[in-house]
Structures are given as C-alpha cells and as structure tokens.
Amino acid sequence: MNVTLIGYGSGNVASVRFALERLGARVRITDDPADVAEAERIILPGVGAAGYAMQRLKALGLIEPLRRFPRPLLGVCLGQQLLFETSAEDEDAENGGADLLGLIPGRVEAILPAPSRPSPHMGWSRLSIRRDNPLLDGVQSGDWAYFVHGFVCPDGPATLAAADYGIAVPAVVNSANRWGCQFHPERSAAAGARILKNFLELPA
Amino acid sequence: MTARRIIPCLDVKDGRVVKGVRFEGHVDMGDAAELAARYRDQGADELVFYDITASPEGRTLDYGWVQDIARLLDIPFCVAGGIRTVEQAARCLDHGADKVSINSPALERPEMIREMAARLGRQCVVVGVDSAFQDGEWRVHQYTGDPNARRGAGRLTMDWIVEAQGLGAGEIVLNCIDQDGVRKGYDVGQLAEARQRLTIPLVASGGAGAVEHFREVFVQADVSGALAASVFHSGAIAVPDLKRYLDQQCVEVRI
C-alpha cells in the first residue's frame, strides 16, 4: 500500500505518517507537484490557519496538481476544509476570508461558542453515519472520533457522517474521488485506524 | 457534544515520569513511553507530557521523545515545557504532537500566544496557568516546576485567562496549585468561575484523589476535561473504573 502525504509546513504530517505506518503502508512525504501528479493516492493533512495553508500550497505550486488529481484524495482536519470553496477564517474588514481548493461547494464558517459549547470543538464526539461509503466500512454510528477545530464545513450532500456539537459537524465528506475527515483519524483510536485502512484500500 | 475528557498528565524529568506533592520531592513513577502505552490501552482520552525541568533551566524539550510518543499513540497528546518560540512549537507539531502548552513563556511575552495561534491555529495552543489563592484573590504563579525558581507572576488568574483567550489560546489548563498533589478534590469554585469567563475549552488540574472528584468537577464546574497524575500513576484510580463510574453517574465519557 503506497500513499503520498503532502508535507507543506502545515501541521500534523508526522502523526498521520505514523498512523499509516502502523497499518503497514509505505508513506512518501512530498511537496513536489510532480510527485503529486503521479501519486497512487494522496492524503492532505493540515492543522492551523486556512489562509496560511493555502499560501503554502500556492507557493509550492500544489494547488492545480491537487485540483486535477484523479485518484483517491483524503483531506484530514484542515485538509477537509481546504476541499471546500472559501473559509471565513482570516476574515476581516478588508478581506472576505480565504479562497480554498474549491472541490466541494460551500463556505467554511467559524463555530460560535454558546453556553456549554466552547469553541474550538475539542474532544471526542460520536459519529452519526448518514450514508454508506467504502471509507466507512466497519465504522458504526456511535463510534467515537477525536475533533480539534474552530471552523466547520457546510453540511450538505457531501456529508457521509456527522457529529453533533449543538450544530451538525460534517465529520466525513465525499465528492467523487475526494474524501475528507474533519476529525483526526490518526488520533481516533480504532475507528480512525479503520478509516485510514479503508482509504488505503480504495481502488486507485 | 463531546465526551468529558480524562487526561493523565505525565510529568517528565530526564525521560522518566515523576510525581511529587505540590511539585516538590519527586518520586520516580516509571518510563514515559511505557506509561503512555498503558494509558492508551486503558482508554485515556488524551495525554499531557510535561517536561517539568525544561522551563526553569532555560532549555527546551528534546523532540526525540515527542516523536517516539507520536509513533506509539493513537490518541491525542499535548507537550509542554520550555517552548519559547513559535518555531519550537511548530517543531513539536512536526514531530507528531497535537497541541503544545505554554505557561511561563506566555507570561513573559503574552504576544507569543498570538503568534502561535496565527501560525499553528488556535486549536493547537494550550495555555497552562498555575494558580494559587493569596491575599483574597486567585493569582498566577510561575516556574512551579522548581521550588527555588517558583514565584508569583503578578497577575490575577481570572484576568490572565481572559487575556490569553483574547490573544488566541485554544484551551486553558487551570492548575490549582493549592490542591495539587494533595488529593482533596479539584478547586470547583475557582474552575466554575473560570468556566464562566471563557468561551474556549477549560481543563481542570490539581487535586484529584477519588472518582467522586471527577464527577464533581464535570457537573459543578462544567469543564471539558480533567487532568490528573499521581492517582493514575500510583494505581489508586484506574481509568476504566473511573469511566464506568462517570457513565453510571450520567457524565458522558468515551467508553
């Protein structure tokens, strides 16, 4: 099992790599557009700010290769958010927020705190599966996953599984050959490992 | 919603887990990686590794063990101790840590919280606060890892946590040092007060001695997580037993 991990200076590359290695995968970490074009399957990790991540991808010439990538692509955490069109993150008076990869329609919004609902959403929440998908084989509604995020993807037809955080949090999304996990599968014990294993086994 | 997190904290000194009463007089509790794996298997929700000697001695943590831990764990972990620059914090994440916690360096230069949040995202930035009741107020203390270096930080706890949140902290760990290591229960009053002032997650630390203390702090102070060290390391409380108890008490935990 070969998987290419995009290492672009935005976060959790090492922990994702270790999780994949625990599953016996051969992991290549790269920031080279040529490697991306010929990869068997790609994981786009990421923690941190959307604007910074997009700047990095742009500087490395990775935006178009990722958009055009025809085989399985999995965005993790911020990587899931980057699949969408725009993000309210880094928004201010002069600037309407960050432009993302635009592979799934919709805008990523901030999680507003409420009583007994701190933001960021940080901790273990239960998954509720909306529709079957090979990525979710062996994963049940009620399984726990570890989330750490202050922004949330739009809930729509791409949502495969959601978590309840007072708002519906799209936890796993899919559109064509692109998948996303808002939570950290590499830090979500058994359910997370199963999802990574399923991704490695998707037909490339 | 999220399950209430049970967070064993491993105070690390020279690669070994140690624990002492009120941070003084450390006792060797075992190898860090061994204990980490044990807690993972028992169902701990998160681990914190605190290099208690790093900050007073002015050195930063050794990233090698961060990587060893990251390789081993499939639950999140946070590292703390001597992180003084955004670059060092980024390197911890690059080595597989999920969050970094800063304490004394944030007090010396609060702007560091903002810089870390801008670069790494606020969800990775934990601000640890050591607080003690003194002259009628909860006050922040500094360098509590070393009895000789320990001193008041000249700030009120409630003001500082709100300032830290405003600068970009993603979570506050409030360590109530009057309670630390004495197992008489968390400082529920102080934590409830802190919870009301914050919109980010709050983690309780200091004072756990019995399973009832965990229920109390979750129910009465509404904290997101409860951190403890000696009660877990000594075997006085086993994580699976604690979670079963909390579940029976209708506190939502991951089982």
Side-chain angles (χ1 to χ4, degrees):
Chain A
M1 295 182 289
N2 293 305
V3 60
T4 298
L5 198 49
I6 311 294
Y8 59 114
S10 194
N12 57 336
V13 174
S15 53
V16 176
R17 181 186 125 208
F18 297 148
L20 293 164
E21 287 175 353
R22 288 196 292 270
L23 294 165
R26 274 193 301 276
V27 182
R28 175 162 66 173
I29 298 175
T30 187
D31 61 7
D32 180 343
D35 290 343
V36 169
E38 64 184 33
E40 181 186 308
R41 65 194 72 232
I42 284 178
I43 294 182
L44 176 64
V47 293
Y52 178 78
M54 287 304 293
Q55 273 173 33
R56 293 288 306 151
L57 291 177
K58 190 175 177 195
L60 292 163
L62 287 170
I63 288 179
E64 279 313 308
L66 286 170
R67 279 184 177 143
R68 284 200 298 265
F69 188 69
R71 289 173 292 280
L73 169 72
L74 175 67
V76 170
C77 194
L78 177 66
Q80 168 174 297
Q81 298 181 3
L82 297 182
L83 300 177
F84 287 81
E85 289 174 317
T86 55
S87 173
E89 198 165 3
D90 308 314
E91 189 174 43
D92 55 37
E94 292 89 56
N95 149 358
D99 282 329
L100 308 176
L101 294 171
L103 299 169
I104 303 178
R107 179 174 177 82
V108 176
E109 298 286 356
I111 299 175
L112 300 177
S116 288
R117 189 182 73 200
S119 179
H121 173 209
M122 193 182 294
W124 296 80
S125 291
R126 289 182 187 274
L127 299 177
S128 164
I129 294 175
R130 298 239 184 111
R131 58 191 169 92
D132 289 337
N133 188 275
L135 193 75
L136 297 174
D137 277 355
V139 179
Q140 326 285 336
S141 280
D143 284 352
W144 294 98
Y146 183 77
F147 291 81
V148 186
H149 61 121
F151 287 77
V152 62
C153 294
D155 191 14
T159 306
L160 295 179
D164 173 21
Y165 194 57
I167 49 171
V169 173
V172 183
V173 300
N174 169 234
S175 174
N177 61 313
R178 291 105 182 192
W179 284 261
C181 269
Q182 178 61 67
F183 55 90
H184 286 275
E186 76 280 12
R187 290 284 180 254
S188 292
R194 183 61 198 255
I195 285 169
L196 290 175
K197 179 171 177 285
N198 291 342
F199 179 73
L200 292 171
E201 291 171 356
L202 288 172
Chain B
M1 301 306 283
T2 52
R4 306 288 174 169
R5 281 177 272 153
I6 302 299
I7 310 171
C9 176
L10 294 84
D11 287 350
V12 179
K13 193 175 185 180
D14 304 322
R16 305 287 294 177
V17 173
V18 295
K19 184 61 194 171
V21 174
R22 300 185 194 213
F23 285 111
E24 297 170 28
H26 297 112
V27 180
D28 190 312
M29 309 293 286
D31 176 73
E34 267 172 39
L35 274 165
R38 196 176 93 195
Y39 289 125
R40 174 199 63 197
D41 296 341
Q42 288 185 347
D45 298 304
E46 184 173 327
L47 296 175
V48 175
F49 297 90
Y50 208 107
D51 186 343
I52 58 166
T53 49
S55 207
E57 290 173 14
R59 69 183 167 89
T60 56
L61 51 94
D62 162 14
Y63 301 102
W65 66 253
V66 175
Q67 185 155 317
D68 293 342
I69 300 285
R71 227 180 263 280
L72 203 65
L73 289 185
D74 61 359
I75 57 168
F77 72 101
C78 177
V79 293
I83 297 162
R84 310 201 141 264
T85 67
V86 178
E87 210 39 55
Q88 289 166 345
R91 282 186 64 201
C92 286
L93 299 183
D94 288 345
H95 282 71
D98 299 282
K99 299 191 259 188
V100 290
S101 180
I102 54 171
N103 185 329
S104 301
L107 288 162
E108 286 159 17
R109 202 171 67 81
E111 203 54 30
M112 187 182 160
I113 300 172
R114 191 196 305 279
E115 293 164 11
M116 280 174 63
R119 166 76 191 277
L120 309 171
R122 71 180 302 158
Q123 71 283 349
C124 305
V125 182
V126 179
V127 174
V129 178
D130 292 322
S131 177
F133 196 75
Q134 211 173 41
D135 305 324
E137 301 269 13
W138 289 301
R139 296 176 191 274
V140 182
H141 283 67
Q142 225 174 339
Y143 300 121
T144 51
D146 178 348
N148 299 317
R150 177 172 157 178
R151 57 179 159 87
R155 289 170 182 271
L156 298 179
T157 302
M158 296 302 151
D159 293 348
W160 172 233
I161 61 174
V162 170
E163 185 183 343
Q165 170 177 281
L167 286 165
E171 180 166 80
I172 301 287
V173 174
L174 184 56
N175 184 37
C176 307
I177 56 180
D178 296 315
Q179 268 70 23
D180 195 61
V182 296
R183 301 195 185 183
K184 295 264 168 74
Y186 291 98
D187 189 340
V188 171
Q190 182 175 183
L191 289 156
E193 173 81 28
R195 178 62 277 165
Q196 285 195 345
R197 308 250 184 154
L198 296 173
T199 60
I200 57 176
L202 173 67
V203 171
S205 169
V211 293
E212 292 79 11
H213 297 152
F214 289 84
R215 187 190 62 83
E216 205 173 80
V217 77
F218 289 134
V219 171
Q220 293 175 28
D222 193 26
V223 294
S224 299
L227 186 147
S230 58
V231 283
F232 295 136
H233 306 326
S234 67
I237 296 178
V239 174
D241 296 342
L242 171 60
K243 287 190 151 187
R244 264 194 301 277
Y245 165 81
L246 291 170
D247 184 53
Q248 284 161 7
Q249 298 287 317
C250 299
V251 175
E252 190 177 25
V253 288
R254 178 178 70 105
I255 292 186

